Amino acid sequence: MNKNMQDQKFDFLRHNQSAWNKQALDQNEWSKPVSSDMIQDAKQGKWEIHLTPKPLNKAWLGEVKGKKILCLASAGGQQAPVLAASGASVVVFDISEEQLKQDEHVAQRDGLFLETFRGDMRDLSIFDDESFDMVFHPISNHYVEDVNPVWKESYRVLKKGGLLLSSFFNPVVFVGDRNPEDQEAGIIRPRYTLPYSDLKDLDKNQIEKKIENKEAFVFGHTLSDLIGGQLRAGFLISDFTEEMQPHPRFLLDSYVPAFIATRAIKL
């Protein structure tokens, strides 16, 4: 690894923060605040939220009214305001101030109360032990190199009996070569080993292009860390689901579920 790559590895979190600020300003799919109509419906008990692209099975949540919920790396003006409108006490923690502004915008617009904090999902030291009834953590931990601190911190801040609802990419989606010619020819060509890292597996030109385009660096974790890491942190996984990618980006997405979600309990 050359010096520039080493420097970028050291600064990848700051780069990812800038990348998500840009996505929020560009109003990408996960940065478009929900409508006032959706908030009004939620106040009347008609609502849904997303841990994966499909609406989440509400049995995973149980009763949310009166619960204190940490939306972890989950800003963007979508999940947190709906939960707040449904009667939960919501805290949003995210690396991107622009993503957090989306939640603040909806709260101000629709008369909701929620708190926002900026920080690294691996360090929740601003919160006391056993502060939350639920941690809601939708697909985002592929933006950090090591997911294990996320599970450990989530366990620490949850009350006994609390829930961790999390989702992440199936690691297999990181293995294939992304050559467009292979895609067009219907060829899936394994190239990368797990754990995957943009910083380790991409060449200098590819890394520099991502920096220039303000694209976030991503990391593909093993199931030993994604699922085993939750178990080692102390959680009991009470349910598990997989989901296909509704808008396949790579050929592999049409053959295997791209998304995994887990429901875990702090006993």
Side-chain angles (χ1 to χ4, degrees):
M1 185 178 293
N2 62 39
K3 185 177 185 300
N4 288 337
M5 293 166 70
Q6 288 178 327
D7 290 345
Q8 183 55 37
K9 183 175 182 180
F10 179 75
D11 292 329
F12 84 89
L13 198 66
R14 180 175 295 181
H15 172 84
N16 282 359
Q17 176 188 357
S18 297
W20 269 100
N21 284 342
K22 180 180 185 298
Q23 290 199 51
L25 293 171
D26 291 344
Q27 293 280 281
N28 83 339
E29 181 182 3
W30 302 111
S31 305
K32 294 178 181 177
V34 295
S35 67
S36 289
D37 288 343
M38 290 183 68
I39 294 299
Q40 292 307 312
D41 284 345
K43 289 179 178 179
Q44 300 301 316
K46 297 177 291 185
W47 57 274
E48 59 185 32
I49 59 172
H50 294 262
L51 195 59
T52 58
K54 289 182 181 179
L56 179 64
N57 180 353
K58 288 188 179 179
W60 276 34
L61 290 160
E63 177 59 60
V64 300
K65 189 173 183 179
K67 297 289 180 64
K68 188 169 183 181
I69 300 177
L70 174 62
C71 288
L72 179 58
S74 178
Q78 299 180 5
Q79 318 306 331
V82 169
L83 289 168
S86 303
S89 173
V90 179
V91 174
V92 193
F93 189 86
D94 199 279
I95 194 69
S96 165
E97 58 265 34
E98 294 297 335
Q99 281 284 90
L100 290 167
K101 285 179 183 178
Q102 307 304 313
D103 295 286
E104 294 164 358
H105 164 73
V106 177
Q108 183 175 17
R109 183 192 69 194
D110 297 319
L112 302 173
F113 176 78
L114 54 80
E115 296 181 275
T116 61
F117 296 90
R118 190 181 70 80
D120 180 349
M121 69 181 86
R122 299 167 298 179
D123 179 6
L124 305 180
S125 56
I126 63 169
F127 304 121
D128 292 335
D129 294 357
E130 301 188 5
S131 297
F132 297 95
D133 298 293
M134 184 186 303
V135 174
F136 189 82
H137 178 51
I139 304 162
S140 57
N141 60 41
H142 59 290
Y143 294 114
V144 293
E145 285 181 298
D146 184 3
V147 70
N148 288 286
V150 179
W151 306 139
K152 291 175 183 177
E153 281 289 82
S154 294
Y155 188 88
R156 182 184 64 78
V157 302
L158 276 170
K159 300 175 184 176
K160 291 181 175 64
L163 295 174
L164 167 64
L165 305 186
S166 62
S167 57
F168 34 85
F169 281 111
N170 186 331
V172 74
V173 304
F174 293 95
V175 170
D177 197 329
R178 293 133 202 190
N179 186 333
E181 294 179 359
D182 285 347
Q183 182 96 350
E184 293 174 7
I187 296 172
I188 299 172
R189 194 186 306 275
R191 178 175 179 181
Y192 306 108
T193 57
L194 294 172
Y196 169 84
S197 165
D198 273 352
L199 298 171
K200 170 177 67 73
D201 292 307
L202 298 183
D203 62 35
K204 178 182 177 181
N205 290 335
Q206 290 171 313
I207 289 177
E208 289 179 349
K209 186 175 181 180
K210 292 200 82 164
I211 295 171
E212 181 181 350
N213 294 337
K214 290 190 175 180
E215 298 175 16
F217 289 116
V218 299
F219 306 89
H221 308 295
T222 63
L223 290 176
S224 292
D225 285 338
L226 291 168
I227 295 176
Q230 293 186 56
L231 298 172
R232 289 190 297 273
F235 286 106
L236 169 69
I237 295 179
S238 64
D239 209 346
F240 172 98
T241 188
E242 297 176 296
E243 189 174 314
M244 299 295 288
Q245 169 66 264
H247 307 292
R249 298 173 302 163
F250 308 115
L251 190 60
L252 193 64
D253 291 342
S254 299
Y255 295 91
V256 299
F259 303 106
I260 293 173
T262 54
R263 181 183 188 269
I265 304 173
K266 178 177 179 176
L267 297 178

